[in-house]
Amino acid sequence: MITDGRSTVHPPGCRVCGQPIRAFFDFGRQPVSDAFRDPADRSAEFHYDLAVGACGGCAMVQQSHEVPRARMFHADYPYRSSGSALMRDHFEAFAHHLLDTELKVPDPFVVEIGSNDGVMLRTIAQAGVRHLGVEPSGGAADAARAHGVRVLTEFFQEDSARRIRDEDGPAVVIFSANTVSHIARLDSVFRGVDALLAPNGVFVVEDRYLGDIVDSTAFDQIYDEHFYLFSVESVRNASRRFGFELVDITRLPVHGGTIRFTIARAGARPVAPAVGELLAVERARGLAGHRTLDRFAERTRHARTELVDLLRRLRDQGRTVVGYGATAKSATVTNYCGIGPDLVPYICDSTPAKHGKLAPGSGIPVRPPAAFADPYPDYALLFAWNHAEEIMAKEHRFAAAGGRWIRYVPRVHVV
Ligand code: SAH
Ligand code: TYD
Ligand code: ZN
């Protein structure tokens, strides 16, 4: 491993299997996507090269440079899962599903990797079921504790997993949403799961699906935290490498297209037909192949041109445009497209920890949602497009007053 003083560059080879990687897109220098800055902070901003490629051996799509995890996940990490009613309902429903199925055994124990503010585990805690969240970001962990959730403020990895096993015994369910893809050391995750999971337990991983990202040209799903972009093929291969088997998948609409991967110890459970079915689709379309990914790259470049042209045209016509949702995803959009306060003077967002801060790289100020109507802009650039329904319903007066929404996924268009 080579350290260039800014980020970690691994030798050209897959982080999972070591085979050669074929690069398909380079976004250039990018900041840490959730590093919102105090306006008074004059220190140099950390940047790294955001580039992605696909492994020719195991099909895993991954970044070529790794941002040190402590730069992303720390006490002040601002993301809060419960900021969205859709996600609160989604995880509450899943917790009830677990309580009705896998957790119907004597004295079950469930562990969540990346439990954030306890959006899922609070329902498990309320049901009186033994649980533990593993969450390195102190602020998020404290928010979960305020909901009665038991949390270990640490990174999940092999040694922390062994300690949990020693203290609490085996887990019948290890759940992780939108977190496993953030961990470059997948080997450590799987070894930790191996140490902690009960013999017939399940490791359930929810993450954004490469197939949906490609289909909708959601290039903004690529940023530091999303080190891997998962497919059925790559998750199946990685699971097998560490003595596990992908036994079921469920496609979910959240975050623009997600898969819930159910992983068990090899041979412990039958494999559902859905796995082979989507695997066949991925192979037929060549999902991790260069043709598919090069076309995605081409569409991404086109989206940048279209979006920047639209914003410049509106500015030249004297129209006002405000951003909505200071998402991590928006860091890729603003910094890859070169969108600064001259085109988008501020972004409205409901997360208190982001208010009064500047968005990473672009330096666009973040303001509370109340600033949106004060006065309404002519156009709103919807960075939180995965929450479109919720946000557009909340802000229905904007459209009623003649305001227009700008979307860029699946293509640049005005609604
Ligand atoms: N599960 C929540 C949160 C996703 S954000 C949801 O789906 O909404 C990713 C979370 O993973 C962050 O809270 C981050 O602090 C945490 N995280 C990052 N690396 C981790 C690791 N190695 N072990 C456990 N949690 C981790
Ligand atoms: P999200 O798209 O979930 O994630 P990421 O940061 O990983 O791209 O983030 C949604 C952002 O949008 C979050 O900062 C909160 C904000 N938001 C609002 O401002 N209003 C809303 O009604 C909702 C649902 C989200
Ligand atoms: Zn590989």
Side-chain angles (χ1 to χ4, degrees):
M1 204 165 282
I2 307 152
T3 299
D4 66 3
R6 297 181 300 267
S7 62
T8 311
V9 184
H10 67 88
C14 174
R15 289 297 303 252
V16 185
C17 78
Q19 292 292 303
I21 298 286
R22 189 183 167 280
F24 66 89
F25 206 83
D26 189 339
F27 289 91
R29 306 292 290 172
Q30 294 286 327
V32 170
S33 61
D34 264 314
F36 292 84
R37 282 160 69 88
D38 197 292
D41 185 351
R42 294 273 174 269
S43 63
E45 200 170 9
F46 173 93
H47 282 83
Y48 84 114
D49 191 29
L50 175 61
V52 276
C55 174
C58 73
M60 187 65 84
V61 170
Q62 58 199 276
Q63 294 184 29
S64 58
H65 296 61
E66 177 190 343
V67 172
R69 63 188 189 177
R71 278 198 180 268
M72 299 185 279
F73 311 116
H74 45 70
D76 298 325
Y77 176 69
Y79 184 74
R80 293 292 178 273
S81 309
S82 301
S84 144
L86 173 73
M87 297 315 295
R88 283 198 301 275
D89 292 349
H90 170 79
F91 287 121
E92 188 184 325
F94 180 66
H96 282 296
H97 167 74
L98 281 182
L99 290 166
D100 292 341
T101 55
E102 300 290 338
L103 299 177
K104 281 219 170 301
V105 294
D107 190 28
F109 175 49
V110 50
V111 171
E112 184 177 2
I113 304 172
S115 46
N116 199 271
D117 58 6
V119 67
M120 196 289 279
L121 282 182
R122 62 184 69 169
T123 305
I124 302 286
Q126 278 157 17
V129 167
R130 274 202 310 132
H131 64 274
L132 182 67
V134 185
E135 174 51 67
S137 299
D142 284 342
R145 288 187 189 106
H147 285 274
V149 174
R150 188 174 157 241
V151 189
L152 185 65
T153 311
E154 277 186 44
F155 286 96
F156 183 91
Q157 54 193 25
E158 190 177 354
D159 66 341
S160 46
R162 285 191 187 286
R163 237 181 307 122
I164 297 166
R165 166 74 204 230
D166 290 346
E167 286 167 22
D168 294 295
V172 291
V173 174
I174 301 177
F175 177 62
S176 188
N178 307 302
T179 302
V180 174
S181 64
H182 298 34
I183 309 174
R185 292 287 311 269
L186 265 193
D187 56 329
S188 183
V189 171
F190 272 106
R191 275 195 274 275
V193 170
D194 192 21
L196 181 58
L197 193 68
N200 193 35
V202 280
F203 178 31
V204 181
V205 174
E206 242 183 70
D207 249 300
R208 285 154 180 82
Y209 176 44
L210 175 67
D212 291 318
I213 291 171
V214 167
D215 287 342
S216 55
T217 317
F219 66 92
D220 60 342
Q221 293 285 13
I222 304 173
Y223 56 89
D224 54 354
E225 293 173 23
H226 292 174
F227 188 82
Y228 295 109
L229 301 179
F230 291 151
S231 62
V232 173
E233 176 150 40
S234 63
V235 170
R236 180 170 172 264
N237 286 336
S239 302
R240 287 185 166 179
R241 204 173 170 78
F242 298 102
F244 290 85
E245 185 67 54
L246 176 62
V247 297
D248 204 0
I249 53 152
T250 308
R251 294 185 75 168
L252 302 160
V254 295
H255 289 308
T258 290
I259 288 187
R260 182 177 293 149
F261 300 93
T262 303
I263 297 163
R265 292 184 188 281
R269 296 203 182 198
V271 179
V275 175
E277 284 162 17
L278 194 51
L279 185 64
V281 170
E282 289 182 359
R283 286 182 176 161
R285 66 181 289 196
L287 180 58
H290 66 90
R291 258 206 227 100
T292 301
L293 296 175
D294 287 349
R295 279 202 293 260
F296 166 79
E298 199 47 55
R299 293 196 304 276
T300 297
R301 283 187 281 270
H302 181 70
R304 169 169 71 171
T305 307
E306 296 268 294
L307 182 59
V308 173
D309 283 356
L310 172 64
L311 294 176
R312 286 193 183 140
R313 211 161 50 237
L314 292 173
R315 180 194 53 192
D316 295 347
Q317 291 168 356
R319 311 280 177 170
T320 51
V321 182
V322 160
Y324 207 108
T327 56
K329 294 183 287 293
S330 71
T332 294
V333 180
T334 56
N335 293 290
Y336 164 63
C337 299
I339 298 169
D342 57 321
L343 292 175
V344 177
Y346 55 93
I347 304 172
C348 295
D349 189 284
S350 60
T351 315
K354 297 179 185 176
H355 298 160
K357 299 281 177 66
L358 304 181
S362 67
I364 301 175
V366 183
R367 299 202 187 161
F372 189 53
D374 188 24
Y376 280 130
D378 298 313
Y379 291 81
L381 176 54
L382 187 57
F383 288 122
W385 51 266
N386 45 319
H387 301 294
E389 212 175 307
E390 190 172 337
I391 290 173
M392 285 158 101
K394 213 178 270 181
E395 301 289 2
H396 63 94
R397 286 196 187 86
F398 168 61
R404 312 279 304 268
W405 292 96
I406 301 172
R407 309 274 300 260
Y408 50 86
V409 170
R411 68 193 174 283
V412 176
H413 61 294
V414 177
V415 189

